[in-house]
Amino acid sequence: MKILVCCGSGLGSSFMIELNIKKILQEMQVEAEVDHTDLSSAAAEKADIYVGTRDIAGQLLCLGGRVISLNSMIDITELREKLGVVLGVPVGKV
Amino acid sequence: MLKFLLDILSVPAVLVGLIAMIGLLAQKKGSSDVLKGTIKTILGFIVLGGGAGIAVSSLSHFGTMFQTGFGIKGVVPHNEAIVALALKTYGTQTALIMAFGMIANILLARFTPLKYIFLTGHHTLYMACMIAAILVAGGVTGLPMVLLGSILLGFTMVFFPAIAQPTMRKITGNNSVGFGHFGTLGYVLSAWVGSLVGDPTKSTEDIKFPQGLTFLRDTSVSIALVMGILYLIVALASGQVFVEKELSGGQNFIIFAILQAITFAGGVYVILAGVRLILAEIIPAFNGIATRLVPDAKPALDCPVVFPYAPNAVLIGFLSSFAAGILGMMILIAFSGSIPSLAIILLGVVPHFFCGATAGVFGNATGGRRGAVAGPFSHGLLITFLPVLLMPVLGDLGFANTTFSDADFCGVGIVLGNILKLFM
């Protein structure tokens, strides 16, 4: 499974979200490839789950994977819940 | 043997690879991860150099057309382009200042009240590069340069988050996260202007604002579009005959202009891919070590961290900053008659988009709607005029067709460069 985090330039914010996702996946004991990139490259990169903050998540909808739209890039609880829903991992278990 | 070692260490690509390797070993990664991470970091540096070649070739055509059409020097403010260019000369110095600057950041966060860990790695790289260029131009070399540069870089990595924090608290509603982006002087200005003119309770987020411009968040697209317009203007100004005879090798001048703009965007795209590879191993290592040594420090994050708090202010801020950039450019053109050496700072689409947008969120936090217009406008003027003062202290880099764009690079460079001039 591949999770791709996107932001405008694919440098800063997507990278920070990627680090948080990796931390959460480790807690959940889920194996997945996590990477970050810019919006242009996202269209050319196949992923099962695309992640972006709500101001850009709309542009990820047509890429063919499931999309996680985040209200805040720093709220790890929100990220954990939304990731849990998409991955089918119950929140209580974590 | 010593020469062999020095030869290896003086190749910046190898040096950053080595820094990544030390970071990976410090995290006790397995040997395959260490090997993979080190190679990818070196690869990133090589890719970045390739991107620089693409961007610079298209910028030099732009510079020629601008000079021919208007008789003055036009400069495109663009961090990636100037850094990629500068790394060809100052690669080793930049890599050393970056590595020791991150250590200085951790020490400052550990032992002073400025408890921030600056995680926006590409800005750490760009600031290290800018400081290296200024120090070398100011006659500081060798060990003193690395020492002074690292301390300075470490200081900027805690100082700028600290001055942004009062407004950051207003934006995020808590104090758990810091702001790390080297456009902070512009954002603090925007927040101050906002507080003078507006009312924070009348937020931009209460109005319905069309979101049709969000496709501009795609950096490559927005660079190609705005640079396309600028290339078309200079191509028309320098004339069909000139372009087709001197530059395009007979290709139609309009097509040439548009393709060169997209070539520039392509160069930046490649540079960004390189930067991403360089940082992929270094930043997690830095983050891991820093959070272990300074557990109570706040992570200082890249500017889009504030975007979801006020998406309307993001767009209003971009438009307002962009408008100020156009006005500032016209003011510079008006003065260019009386000051012949004056360079015209053109519209930098990336700084106006990212920094202008951030200035919008900061202005909105202190001054609501009016703040989200007036704040970014003042920011747009600031980032148009600051590079003019930066270029004379950049040494040989000051003659390039591109320069640093964001406010703090210019602010730090101007202060440092002029202090060094006193000692020369």
Side-chain angles (χ1 to χ4, degrees):
Chain A
M1 185 175 55
K2 177 160 179 175
I3 302 175
L4 190 63
V5 192
C6 309
C7 71
S9 295
L11 286 178
S13 4
S14 53
F15 198 1
M16 292 302 115
I17 298 172
E18 176 193 319
L19 294 182
N20 284 339
I21 290 180
K22 282 184 169 160
K23 205 155 59 183
I24 294 170
L25 289 179
Q26 212 166 24
E27 291 169 17
M28 290 177 170
Q29 295 176 333
V30 173
E31 284 277 333
E33 187 192 346
V34 193
D35 207 352
H36 67 283
T37 191
D38 63 301
L39 283 171
S40 295
S41 312
E45 216 168 312
K46 198 93 201 95
D48 302 282
I49 304 169
Y50 294 92
V51 183
T53 47
R54 65 168 170 161
D55 44 320
I56 57 160
Q59 296 186 59
L60 304 171
L61 290 173
C62 52
L63 300 180
R66 299 192 66 173
V67 174
I68 295 179
S69 165
L70 298 171
N71 295 322
S72 159
M73 96 176 220
I74 52 178
D75 185 351
I76 198 148
T77 317
E78 181 199 8
L79 183 61
R80 188 180 287 124
E81 275 170 14
K82 290 187 171 167
L83 209 55
V85 170
V86 174
L87 294 170
V89 179
V91 178
K93 205 186 135 192
V94 185
Chain B
M1 185 65 196
L2 187 68
K3 182 173 180 312
F4 178 72
L5 277 178
L6 279 176
D7 275 352
I8 293 179
L9 287 179
S10 62
V11 178
V14 176
L15 195 58
V16 290
L18 217 58
I19 295 166
M21 193 171 87
I22 294 169
L24 288 160
L25 289 172
Q27 296 174 95
K28 302 192 178 66
K29 296 271 182 179
S31 53
S32 62
D33 281 344
V34 173
L35 186 66
K36 190 177 90 176
T38 309
I39 291 176
K40 279 177 111 173
T41 309
I42 298 175
L43 178 74
F45 210 93
I46 310 281
V47 168
L48 183 141
I54 304 174
V56 168
S57 77
S58 102
L59 271 180
S60 76
H61 290 321
F62 183 85
T64 313
M65 288 192 278
F66 197 94
Q67 185 85 44
T68 311
F70 299 105
I72 36 174
K73 189 173 164 62
V75 175
V76 178
H78 198 112
N79 293 330
E80 277 76 21
I82 185 76
V83 166
L85 182 67
L87 283 177
K88 286 193 194 300
T89 320
Y90 306 109
T92 308
Q93 293 93 328
T94 302
L96 289 170
I97 290 179
M98 181 171 175
F100 289 107
M102 291 195 291
I103 295 173
N105 178 189
I106 296 176
L107 292 175
L108 285 164
R110 181 76 182 80
F111 296 110
T112 73
L114 302 171
K115 299 219 168 295
Y116 299 96
I117 295 297
F118 194 95
L119 289 179
T120 310
H122 56 291
H123 268 201
T124 311
L125 172 68
Y126 303 167
M127 187 62 99
C129 181
M130 205 274 311
I131 290 175
I134 298 267
L135 287 176
V136 171
V140 187
T141 51
L143 188 64
M145 184 206 64
V146 175
L147 208 63
L148 187 62
S150 313
I151 294 170
L152 265 170
L153 177 62
F155 179 70
T156 61
M157 290 165 84
V158 292
F159 172 76
F160 288 110
I163 61 171
Q165 198 61 14
T167 318
M168 228 5 223
R169 276 194 290 270
K170 286 192 187 121
I171 295 168
T172 61
N174 64 48
N175 200 17
S176 67
V177 66
F179 181 85
H181 192 259
F182 287 137
T184 311
L185 291 173
Y187 313 142
V188 172
L189 173 72
S190 177
W192 178 69
V193 169
S195 71
L196 295 181
V197 298
D199 174 359
T201 58
K202 290 186 180 144
S203 170
T204 50
E205 305 315 298
D206 304 331
I207 43 177
K208 268 236 172 287
F209 197 76
Q211 297 288 319
L213 286 170
T214 46
F215 72 96
L216 287 175
R217 280 296 293 284
D218 193 328
T219 316
S220 310
V221 176
S222 52
I223 292 175
L225 274 176
V226 177
M227 291 304 284
I229 296 168
L230 290 177
Y231 270 87
L232 277 179
I233 293 172
V234 295
L236 288 168
S238 57
Q240 180 169 12
V241 178
F242 174 80
V243 175
E244 291 178 7
K245 187 157 170 279
E246 302 289 330
L247 300 173
S248 74
Q251 187 182 44
N252 176 277
F253 74 127
I254 299 288
I255 296 171
F256 176 75
I258 293 171
L259 282 177
Q260 285 300 315
I262 300 178
T263 304
F264 178 71
V268 171
Y269 183 91
V270 177
I271 294 170
L272 289 178
V275 172
R276 215 171 286 140
L277 281 168
I278 293 174
L279 298 175
E281 305 299 340
I282 293 177
I283 293 304
F286 173 57
N287 187 22
I289 295 166
T291 40
R292 207 171 315 145
L293 296 178
V294 203
D296 55 340
K298 292 183 187 60
L301 302 176
D302 198 359
C303 65
V305 68
V306 300
F307 291 177
Y309 292 95
N312 285 344
V314 165
L315 280 174
I316 296 170
F318 161 57
L319 294 173
S320 179
S321 182
F322 198 76
I326 295 174
L327 177 71
M329 191 168 74
M330 286 171 171
I331 294 173
L332 285 177
I333 291 171
F335 275 100
S336 66
S338 43
I339 314 168
S341 63
L342 192 72
I344 308 299
I345 304 300
L346 299 160
L347 281 175
V349 51
V350 174
H352 283 298
F353 206 97
F354 281 95
C355 304
T358 311
V361 180
F362 274 67
N364 179 48
T366 55
R369 289 166 209 177
R370 278 194 216 160
V373 175
F377 197 83
S378 63
H379 164 271
L381 289 176
L382 184 76
I383 64 165
T384 309
F385 296 135
L386 278 184
V388 178
L389 301 172
L390 175 69
M391 296 189 71
V393 294
L394 271 180
D396 292 341
L397 272 189
F399 301 105
N401 290 319
T402 176
T403 196
F404 290 93
S405 54
D406 304 2
D408 300 351
F409 297 116
C410 301
V412 171
I414 291 164
V415 172
L416 179 62
N418 284 302
I419 290 175
L420 287 173
K421 264 192 182 162
L422 298 177
F423 293 100
M424 278 175 89

